[in-house]
């Protein structure tokens, strides 16, 4: 059997069970994308119609690509770059498929550079909430407090630095049982707090308007760019298209069922995003705030909501602690592909590689820090600041492109026997459904959205 030639453990370590993989992958998937980005881009794109397109992208494109990534990772048992190379060789395909791994490592790096800046905001808001400054505050105060923070490059840089340091520290020690244990407690904690916020939102007086906004079908509000945004966000929120899940897949035990595991992860991720939206929009409408205000949305509405609740300062602290932790369990997975490659190929020790990669990302992140103040008038392309550009390039171009290539490789290049073994598929309806999704639906979906965005 072909399996005999495949090493069945990774040199970087293995998850101790299928369930720990679910937690680690959900830790990667659930992050700023769900609680910070999803509500604000939904707000910018007019709500309901955007949500529908996003859900479609998750189901028809994101989830199949996630299955493909786990499968490739588990078959290769190495960093995405080396896995793609090895599997290409084994499939008799050009070595250039390794470039998909490189694209992913670069994408992860770019995302990480701004992810740590935004996560730094959440870190700062732990202290802000703790100071009690939002107790009884109104919408205007919450908005202006956030604007004042963004205007201060030193503060942004300080918290960006702290978050990069935290990420490097954890990643340097490896994906240890410590992280796994933290994720096991903090992810449920985050859920509980989101539901507390949801409860507040339900009584805020704006719940009907929030529901209507998120699930009302206003198709005219959805632009061409909004469709591309929904696709890019589907990749971003599931952590697919850049090899993070492929890297984690390399540590998955052979006994785990890939498809049911991935469906669990995708469902959890989607649930967190929808609950975050339902917790945030009612507060927006009840306080006369703007749903399309952009990246600051969560940092205005959440303090505002907690400021009205008994023990709000305390809950607020806990909430931003959990957001920070959700972000860190994602940021480590952004670094893992490049890190694993550096360790495998150049024999660099893990801590050293983590430090070096972290440093590069820190420097790059300063561009994002400055784009909210000193460089806010400097536009790289069109009206885009440095942050806008990094965000656009990674989310709307690099991730979907990476996902497209991964789908093509898994669907058209990888030998059928390997796919059958990995996914436990024999002939029949499930095998056919998988083939249709990964060979046709996912690639054509990405291409269609790209074409629509270019022509529209
Ligand atoms: N999925 C993360 C989030 O939603 O915040 C972000 C992310 C992590 C994207 C890891 C990509 C990735 F590889």
């Amino acid at each position: 059997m072909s399996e005999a030639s495949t090493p069945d453990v990774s040199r970087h370590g293995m998850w101790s069970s299928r369930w720990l993989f679910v937690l680690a992958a959900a830790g990667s998937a659930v992050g700023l994308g769900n609680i910070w980005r999803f509500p604000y881009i939904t707000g910018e794109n007019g709500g309901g119609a955007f949500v529908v397109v996003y859900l479609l992208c998750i189901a028809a494109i994101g989830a199949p690509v996630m299955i493909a990534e786990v499968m490739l990772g588990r078959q290769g048992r190495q960093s995405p770059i080396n896995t793609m190379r090895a599997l290409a060789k084994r499939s008799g395909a050009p070595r250039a498929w390794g470039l998909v791994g490189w694209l992913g490592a670069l994408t992860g790096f770019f995302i990480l550079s701004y992810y740590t800046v935004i996560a730094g905001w959440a870190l700062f808001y732990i202290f802000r909430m703790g100071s009690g400054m939002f107790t009884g505050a109104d919408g205007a105060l919450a908005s202006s407090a956030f604007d004042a923070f963004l205007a201060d490059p030193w503060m942004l840089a300080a918290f960006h630095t702290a978050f990069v340091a935290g990420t490097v520290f954890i990643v340097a020690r490896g994906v240890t049982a410590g992280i796994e244990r933290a994720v096991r407690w903090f992810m449920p904690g985050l859920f509980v707090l989101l539901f507390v916020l949801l409860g507040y939102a339900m009584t805020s007086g704006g719940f009907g308007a929030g529901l209507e906004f998120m699930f009302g079908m206003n198709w005219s509000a959805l632009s061409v760019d909004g469709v591309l945004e929904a696709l890019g966000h589907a990749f971003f929120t599931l952590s697919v298209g850049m090899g993070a899940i492929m890297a984690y897949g390399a540590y998955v035990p052979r006994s785990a069922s890939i498809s049911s595991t991935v469906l669990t992860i995708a469902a959890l991720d989607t649930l967190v995003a929808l609950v975050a939206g339902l917790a945030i929009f009612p507060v927006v409408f009840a306080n006369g705030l703007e749903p399309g205000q952009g990246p600051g949305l969560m940092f205005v509405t959440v303090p505002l909501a907690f400021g009205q609740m008994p023990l709000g300062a305390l809950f607020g602290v806990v909430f931003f602690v959990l957001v920070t932790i959700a972000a860190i369990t994602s940021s480590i997975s952004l670094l893992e592909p490049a890190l694993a490659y550096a360790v495998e190929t150049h024999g660099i020790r893990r801590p050293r590689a983590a430090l070096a990669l972290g440093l590069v990302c820190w420097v790059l992140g300063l561009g994002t820090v400055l784009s909210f103040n000193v460089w806010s008038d400097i536009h790289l392309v069109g009206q885009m600041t440095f942050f806008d550009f990094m965000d656009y390039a990674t989310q709307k171009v690099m991730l979907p492109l990476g996902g497209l290539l991964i789908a093509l490789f898994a669907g058209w290049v990888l030998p059928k026997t390997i796919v059958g073994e990995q996914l436990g598929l024999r002939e029949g309806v499930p095998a056919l459904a998988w083939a249709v999704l990964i060979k046709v639906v996912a690639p054509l979906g990405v291409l269609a959205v790209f074409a629509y965005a270019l022509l529209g």
Side-chain angles (χ1 to χ4, degrees):
M1 261 176 90
S2 54
E3 236 174 76
S5 59
T6 311
D8 220 24
V9 288
S10 156
R11 60 181 280 186
H12 304 286
M14 295 290 286
W15 308 118
S16 31
S17 70
R18 169 184 113 94
W19 189 233
L20 283 167
F21 169 62
V22 171
L23 287 176
S28 169
V30 174
L32 296 173
N34 306 66
I35 309 165
W36 162 73
R37 191 201 288 276
F38 174 72
Y40 97 72
I41 59 177
T42 301
E44 285 181 336
N45 288 286
F50 175 83
V51 175
V52 170
V53 177
Y54 152 79
L55 290 175
L56 266 178
C57 289
I58 293 270
I61 303 174
V65 174
M66 194 185 233
I67 292 177
E69 281 203 29
V70 178
M71 170 178 81
L72 295 172
R74 187 165 78 172
Q75 184 66 31
R77 296 273 189 232
Q78 301 178 71
S79 67
I81 296 173
N82 286 329
T83 283
M84 289 301 295
R85 275 189 190 155
L87 294 182
K89 187 169 173 204
R90 196 157 153 195
S91 315
R95 194 180 145 88
W97 279 103
L99 291 175
V100 176
W102 279 106
L103 172 71
L106 189 71
T107 309
F109 230 68
F110 280 12
I111 296 178
L112 187 63
S113 77
Y114 69 79
Y115 204 81
T116 51
V117 176
I118 314 291
W121 299 355
L123 189 58
F124 175 64
Y125 265 69
I126 297 174
F127 300 98
R128 263 207 163 158
M129 291 306 302
S131 75
M133 71 178 278
F134 294 109
T135 308
D138 61 7
L141 187 140
S143 297
S144 61
F146 183 67
D147 293 340
F149 173 52
L150 285 194
D152 185 345
W154 292 103
M155 287 292 275
L156 297 194
F159 284 91
H160 162 60
T161 307
F163 194 85
V164 172
T167 302
V168 166
F169 178 75
I170 294 178
V171 128
R173 315 184 90 198
V175 185
T176 61
I179 303 167
E180 293 178 346
R181 215 177 300 133
V183 173
R184 195 194 317 239
W185 289 104
F186 285 120
M187 299 312 282
L190 184 66
F191 261 99
V192 170
L193 268 149
L194 269 179
F195 279 96
V196 169
L197 265 178
L198 181 64
Y200 172 76
M202 285 176 155
T203 60
S204 67
F207 199 68
L211 266 183
E212 170 62 29
F213 182 73
M214 272 188 71
F215 299 110
M217 292 302 114
N218 179 8
W219 289 98
S220 62
L222 186 67
S223 64
V224 171
D225 194 54
V227 175
L228 183 57
E229 179 109 61
L231 174 75
H233 184 68
F235 283 108
F236 185 90
T237 191
L238 292 178
S239 302
V240 297
M242 55 142 285
I245 294 295
M246 201 188 294
Y248 276 15
Y251 319 144
V252 174
R254 183 66 66 167
S255 58
S257 150
I258 294 181
S259 48
S260 67
T261 306
V262 163
L263 292 183
T264 310
I265 298 163
L268 275 175
D269 185 76
T270 306
L271 183 67
V272 172
L274 293 178
V275 172
L278 285 177
I280 285 178
F281 286 116
V283 181
V284 169
F285 294 116
N287 289 279
L289 295 168
E290 189 34 59
Q293 63 180 275
L297 184 66
M298 175 183 93
F299 296 93
V300 174
T301 52
V302 172
L304 189 59
F306 280 126
Q308 314 291 323
M309 283 187 236
L311 294 181
L314 178 68
F315 278 130
V317 168
V318 177
F319 177 80
F320 281 106
V321 167
L322 290 170
V323 172
T324 305
I325 286 163
I328 252 197
T329 56
S330 300
S331 62
I332 50 180
S333 71
L334 284 161
L335 210 48
E336 185 64 22
L339 189 60
Y341 177 76
V343 171
E344 280 164 12
T345 307
H346 301 291
I348 307 174
R349 284 190 24 252
R350 199 172 167 97
R352 206 172 266 197
L355 197 63
L357 293 170
L359 201 65
V360 178
C361 144
W362 178 78
V363 173
L364 207 57
L366 293 178
T368 289
V369 163
L370 294 173
S371 67
F372 288 100
N373 36 68
V374 183
W375 289 356
S376 60
D377 289 328
I378 297 183
H379 299 129
L380 287 186
V381 182
Q383 281 305 302
M384 286 191 257
T385 62
F386 184 86
F387 163 69
D388 295 334
F389 177 76
M390 294 300 271
D391 188 33
Y392 192 98
T394 51
Q395 201 213 342
K396 292 190 183 148
V397 182
M398 296 166 86
L399 285 180
L401 183 64
L404 169 67
L405 294 170
I406 289 167
L408 290 176
F409 185 83
W412 295 97
V413 179
L414 199 69
K416 235 173 137 180
T417 49
I418 294 185
V419 179
E421 277 165 19
Q422 281 290 349
L423 300 185
L425 289 176
R426 275 164 240 107
E427 303 300 308
V429 177
L432 187 67
W434 164 253
V436 170
L437 277 173
I438 203 69
K439 286 187 176 186
V440 184
V441 176
L444 282 187
V446 176
L447 285 174
V449 175
F450 273 162
Y452 182 52
L454 280 176
L455 302 175

